[in-house]
Amino acid sequence: MKLSSALVTITLLATVAHCLENRAGISIVKKIKAASVEIKLNRNRADLLITRNDGATFEHRFITKISKSTNKDSLTLDPNCSIDTTCIVSKNVTLIRIRTDPGSEVIRIKRSIDDPEAQLSDCYLLAENTEWFGGPQLRHQRWPIQHMYYDEEVYVPTHPENMALAERYWLSSKGIYVFGDPRDPLFLDQNNLLHRHLCLVAKNKAPYHWRKIVTLNYEIGVFPDPRLAHEHVVRSHFGMPTGHPNERMVTHPIWSTWARYKADISEAVVRQFADEIIKNGFNNSQLEIDDNWETCYGSARFDPKKFPDVKKLLADLKAKKFRVTLWIHPFINEKCNDGEAYDYALKNNYFVKSLDGKVHTTWWQGGNGAGAIDFSNPKAVAWWVGRLKKLEALGIDSFKFDAGEETFLPQPPNLSAVDEVQPAVYTYNYTTNLAKHFDDNIEARVGWRTQQLPIFIRMIDKDTRWSFSNGLPTLITTLLQMNLNGYVFVLPDMIGGNGYANGSLTETELPSKEMFIRWLQANVFMPALQYSFVPWDFDDETIRIAKTFTDLHAKISPMIMELMKKAVQTGAPINPPIWWVDPKNAEAHKINDEYLLGEQILAAPVIEENALERDVFLPAGKWRDGNTQKVHQGPTWLRNYPAPLHVLPHFFRV
């Protein structure tokens, strides 16, 4: 297929403290395999223009904001600049061409300035008729992402906005990507400093450690289409998972106590929950005992008042064919001293400390304060893991791991790692230690350069809403966002949402029957199902519909397992956007309420309240309707597709 000749533009802009002195109008043009590259000097900036052989262009501008104490930046052009290898544009801008395959170019841009008060701000124009993907997972997750807003947000895993994944990767529908270096003190700014611009800002500011030289390094790839660009990023940066999650977690539902019972759990509650699941004829992968099972937060000991005979409870559940997992967090509250807990960990330096030596921090169940286990300290890890191994000895099968964002640490944190990767390395150390010491039944919720781990990464908690304010629509947009960030083993949040009544962690709001069913339908072709609210909270019709779609998920689980095995070999997303099979289709790039399972199944669930029909877009190829068996030729729109409450629109690629 002929490459599109549409304009492809990304502009890098910045502000300057004073004028830079150089000659105007000097330029060099170099023809390379896939494009021509022009470097031009103007009065106060250096421009880089890549023109692909099909006519598409890619434009940057390099300008630096420097402090008054810094000598003027001598912006000159190296007369030997060839772009085949390295080209020095100025003393703080270097271009390195690192790929020469026909049809694509990759150029690495290295920027640095020896002024600790300087700020490097490179901004990319979010041009019209171009969709953008990637960036962080966020509470208000949009897809595509060009209309999202960030005000110089520190770009590491943080909790206030539920930025549990913060990979420095952006991909355009035109086949252009930007991939940032993890060692830079990066802040994300979008549609704020400049309207319709994505800006990467590097500067000395907490929680990053202070540095003498400010750097902003990234690479830009220009490929024929977004799929080819993403596959290159997977091979070059993300890597492939080293294994995959447990098959039983994929096939049968996880049942969690959290949304239905919140922290009000006990042995009696768990037994009743298990009996209801069996009585209503549902299978399980595991039953998860969530929040507030400990004597105090961080003791790692069952509360004997709530759980008087843990061993018997676990043995009885196993006799009923349940695996049992336990909710775990990396904190110990300050007043928690049951056994080896807060004081013991404090005495042995097992907590993360701030740069001024403090360990006090807070979290959502932190009471008056807590300490966070330092996963960069091998002795702290060994002690913490040892306590969980004792729980396994009681009969606990595995764990649901929570938190891991740097904002739960004393600020700014001081970890046992080089300054350039702090504080995000906390997330890396946390999740890699979980995968190292525990089995393939575990789940975590954070990620930073950890796409290779063979475990489920859970979506952030979803609210029981119909809106993009962390509601049902974001179940799909978050799925797509995580897959395009290289986290392909996605564990969707609980069916129906978390039911937080008025934002409370103790009061529960039950989803409506309609929302519960539509949420389940949206979840069916994702890697796993998680129930907490249950079908029998509603009526017999809900139970029948839920059983139908739970069985459908189990039926297609062998396909999911095959895709997981493929991901280990290739890194391919398990649930890609629909443009994955039609990567140059501009209409497909815009779709945010459909997704694929591999390349075989297209799911188009209903995610609007009171809707009994929806429009469905089918990309290129032949698609067999999973409900009517009718075959459609794409690309095409199916307008007003009928979808009453018991119908999930889905299609099989012929």
Side-chain angles (χ1 to χ4, degrees), residues 278-411:
I278 295 170
K279 178 183 177 182
N280 286 280
F282 284 81
N283 291 318
N284 79 90
S285 64
Q286 51 213 39
L287 192 156
E288 175 189 286
I289 301 174
D290 209 282
D291 194 341
N292 207 20
W293 56 270
E294 296 171 281
T295 55
C296 53
Y297 286 104
S299 71
R301 294 187 175 192
F302 274 94
D303 185 338
K305 294 181 180 179
K306 292 184 173 184
F307 296 90
D309 194 340
V310 174
K311 282 190 174 182
K312 187 174 189 311
L313 169 65
L314 298 178
D316 290 348
L317 290 173
K318 290 179 188 299
K320 296 176 180 179
K321 302 186 186 305
F322 283 95
R323 292 191 307 200
V324 184
T325 63
L326 203 57
W327 175 75
I328 298 291
H329 54 83
F331 311 107
I332 303 178
N333 282 3
E334 289 179 355
K335 294 184 179 181
C336 183
N337 276 305
D338 182 23
E340 290 184 356
Y342 185 85
D343 287 348
Y344 182 88
L346 182 65
K347 178 182 177 181
N348 287 277
N349 293 311
Y350 291 163
F351 291 134
V352 176
K353 294 181 179 180
S354 63
L355 285 171
D356 59 3
K358 296 179 181 178
V359 302
H360 176 87
T361 192
T362 58
W363 64 293
W364 65 91
Q365 296 284 32
N368 295 321
I373 300 299
D374 185 355
F375 289 91
S376 69
N377 178 347
K379 292 183 179 179
V381 172
W383 173 74
W384 188 79
V385 168
R387 299 198 310 160
L388 300 190
K389 293 297 182 181
K390 292 178 182 178
L391 293 168
E392 288 184 330
L394 293 174
I396 293 295
D397 292 290
S398 195
F399 302 99
K400 168 187 177 178
F401 292 103
D402 217 339
E405 297 91 340
E406 74 85 22
T407 38
F408 291 123
L409 308 180
Q411 296 294 314

Side-chain angles (χ1 to χ4, degrees), residues 381-524:
V381 172
W383 173 74
W384 188 79
V385 168
R387 299 198 310 160
L388 300 190
K389 293 297 182 181
K390 292 178 182 178
L391 293 168
E392 288 184 330
L394 293 174
I396 293 295
D397 292 290
S398 195
F399 302 99
K400 168 187 177 178
F401 292 103
D402 217 339
E405 297 91 340
E406 74 85 22
T407 38
F408 291 123
L409 308 180
Q411 296 294 314
N414 189 23
L415 304 162
S416 297
V418 295
D419 286 344
E420 286 79 6
V421 294
Q422 299 209 44
V425 71
Y426 181 81
T427 299
Y428 177 87
N429 288 336
Y430 179 48
T431 50
T432 53
N433 272 296
L434 303 182
K436 176 181 177 181
H437 292 287
F438 300 99
D439 63 20
D440 58 3
N441 294 308
I442 67 168
E443 57 179 275
R445 84 168 189 192
V446 290
W448 185 77
R449 297 176 59 80
T450 49
Q451 293 91 340
Q452 297 181 36
L453 298 183
I455 63 175
F456 269 125
I457 299 299
R458 184 175 73 257
M459 292 183 186
I460 57 176
D461 288 10
K462 297 296 179 187
D463 295 327
T464 304
R465 299 174 182 157
W466 289 97
S467 72
F468 272 95
S469 180
N470 201 40
L472 173 55
T474 65
L475 187 72
I476 298 174
T477 56
T478 303
L479 176 78
L480 300 176
Q481 184 78 336
M482 293 176 72
N483 271 268
L484 262 290
N485 270 290
Y487 294 92
V488 299
F489 302 145
V490 178
L491 180 59
D493 197 33
M494 288 169 279
I495 294 164
N498 285 260
Y500 296 123
N502 302 314
S504 169
L505 291 177
T506 57
E507 299 179 28
T508 299
E509 172 191 7
L510 192 71
S512 67
K513 170 183 174 178
E514 179 190 10
M515 176 178 284
F516 181 82
I517 291 172
R518 292 306 196 190
W519 202 300
L520 168 59
Q521 291 171 343
N523 200 160
V524 167

Side-chain angles (χ1 to χ4, degrees), residues 23 50 64 149 152 166 202 209 221 265 304 318 412 422 428 448 548:
R23 292 174 293 167
I50 301 174
T64 307
Y149 175 89
E152 291 197 14
H209 287 199
I265 59 170
K318 290 179 188 299
Q422 299 209 44
Y428 177 87
W448 185 77
T548 295

Side-chain angles (χ1 to χ4, degrees), residues 521-533:
Q521 291 171 343
N523 200 160
V524 167
F525 296 107
M526 298 181 189
L529 302 179
Q530 274 201 95
Y531 280 111
S532 185
F533 296 124

